[in-house]
Amino acid sequence: MEILRGFQFELLCCAAKMTSTKPDRTAWFKGGTASCQETLASGAHAYRMVLLGAPGVGKGTQAELISERLGPCQLSTGDVFRAAKTLDPSERTPALSAALEYMKRGELVPDETVIGIVRERPNCLRCPAGFLLDGFPRTVQQAEALAKMLGDLGVNLDAVLSYDLPIDQIVSRLSGRRTCGGCKAVYHVATKPPKVVDVCDQCGGKLILREDDRPEAIRVRMEAYAKSTAPLAEYYRQRGLLISIAANGSPEEIYRRTAVALAAR
Ligand code: AP5
């Protein structure tokens, strides 16, 4: 059994060497009937997973690594809202404009708005390359809506990856985060600094502090997490889907823990 797990783990790590392209997220941002051309190498497993964890624990960082190496597309509801910010206000629906105000304060966007956003993207949930939901679901009501959507599409979740880290380390990850205003690449002033201060290595854009990374919004986000999102770990544990992963150490170390845990399932 151990030999088999080791072999499966090596396969997951080999995938890293063979595929290092970023999946196309067009369909996720556009919604509706938009689709993309994502496929996996023949015989590769299409992972369908949810990422859980407090704001700033490193879900987006891990999503990027898993996505590049194992193929599932990163579906972040926060990214959809942030993309809406770049639209002209006249192009935003009233629900989307209200969502941006909740987000700025660090509060959760109402369930019906978020569920509507995901429901408008069925092609992403039935993508042949799989998916990695990042930031959704965040409440039990959202989890129940997701279960219904997946049931209707005949799709099963493989696992829910729950990343855990002490609060002081989370706050330091959040307060040091800088995000590119152009391509949205994520940096950290101490652990992942750009080559030139405040300038994106990838596109030359200006790095900014996310509005909800201000101390007062961080406090509200942590409270919302403790009240509404943390109980989801128990929801998924009861359904046999939860995998808890320690989120200390480097992103690479955490990715390896994730790969080992997936290989052991
Ligand atoms: P969302 O965009 O989902 O944000 P979040 O869950 O608060 O998570 P973050 O993006 O802040 O952090 P992360 O865990 O991805 O960490 P990251 O990898 O960037 O949601 C934003 C808002 O949208 C919500 O507050 C809400 O208003 C709304 N919303 C979205 N979805 C919703 C929903 N379903 N329901 C209701 N409302 C919703 O890492 C953080 C920093 O740490 C970075 O600087 C990174 O470089 C650094 N870092 C990462 N890993 C490591 C490491 N191992 N070591 C050192 N540094 C590290």
Side-chain angles (χ1 to χ4, degrees):
M1 192 57 156
E2 281 310 308
I3 293 170
L4 183 62
R5 282 180 185 166
F7 176 65
Q8 286 171 323
F9 170 65
E10 284 310 320
L11 275 182
L12 288 173
C13 290
C14 280
K17 291 167 204 150
M18 291 189 298
T19 61
S20 60
T21 51
K22 283 192 178 188
D24 172 15
R25 296 204 292 163
T26 313
W28 181 243
F29 285 108
K30 281 196 175 163
T33 55
S35 63
C36 36
Q37 306 299 320
E38 289 302 328
T39 49
L40 287 181
S42 136
H45 179 69
Y47 283 97
R48 299 184 170 94
M49 302 192 285
V50 167
L51 300 189
L52 279 188
V57 75
K59 301 180 296 297
T61 303
Q62 289 306 309
E64 200 169 321
L65 292 175
I66 298 170
S67 192
E68 283 178 20
R69 297 171 184 195
L70 302 182
C73 192
Q74 177 194 4
L75 309 181
S76 156
T77 38
D79 283 350
V80 171
F81 294 131
R82 279 184 287 278
K85 251 199 223 168
T86 61
L87 295 174
D88 187 86
S90 63
E91 292 178 71
R92 293 178 203 147
T93 62
L96 215 42
S97 298
L100 295 182
E101 288 304 310
Y102 283 102
M103 201 173 162
K104 192 168 157 184
R105 293 192 295 268
E107 294 169 21
L108 292 186
V109 173
D111 284 338
E112 56 275 25
T113 305
V114 190
I115 292 167
I117 296 271
V118 179
R119 198 174 277 135
E120 285 165 3
R121 290 158 168 79
N123 286 344
C124 294
L125 296 181
R126 55 179 167 227
C127 177
F131 61 77
L132 207 47
L133 281 163
D134 168 12
F136 179 88
R138 254 181 161 95
T139 63
V140 170
Q141 195 184 332
Q142 292 179 20
E144 285 170 347
L146 175 65
K148 168 89 175 62
M149 283 183 245
L150 294 178
D152 290 348
L153 294 168
V155 169
N156 291 319
L157 278 181
D158 288 297
V160 173
L161 304 175
S162 178
Y163 291 97
D164 305 316
L165 192 69
I167 184 95
D168 54 325
Q169 290 182 51
I170 291 179
V171 171
S172 108
R173 283 186 188 178
L174 274 180
S175 48
R177 173 166 56 189
R178 297 294 179 272
T179 307
C180 175
C183 71
K184 311 298 173 205
V186 174
Y187 297 84
H188 189 278
V189 291
T191 59
K192 194 185 170 194
K195 292 189 185 103
V196 177
V197 176
D198 287 343
V199 178
C200 178
D201 294 346
Q202 294 177 27
C203 75
K206 185 172 165 40
L207 302 188
I208 50 170
L209 183 70
R210 245 169 66 173
E211 267 177 335
D212 59 351
D213 282 347
R214 288 170 295 111
E216 59 278 22
I218 290 179
R219 188 180 47 75
V220 176
R221 287 162 72 196
M222 290 302 175
E223 285 168 6
Y225 172 75
K227 182 165 165 260
S228 307
T229 313
L232 274 187
E234 189 49 34
Y235 174 94
Y236 283 119
R237 193 189 318 277
Q238 286 173 7
R239 285 155 183 78
L241 287 167
L242 193 80
I243 301 180
S244 294
I245 297 165
N248 60 311
S250 69
E252 201 56 49
E253 285 167 332
I254 302 163
Y255 173 77
R256 286 183 76 83
R257 270 177 222 142
T258 305
V260 168
L262 285 175
R265 271 181 84 82

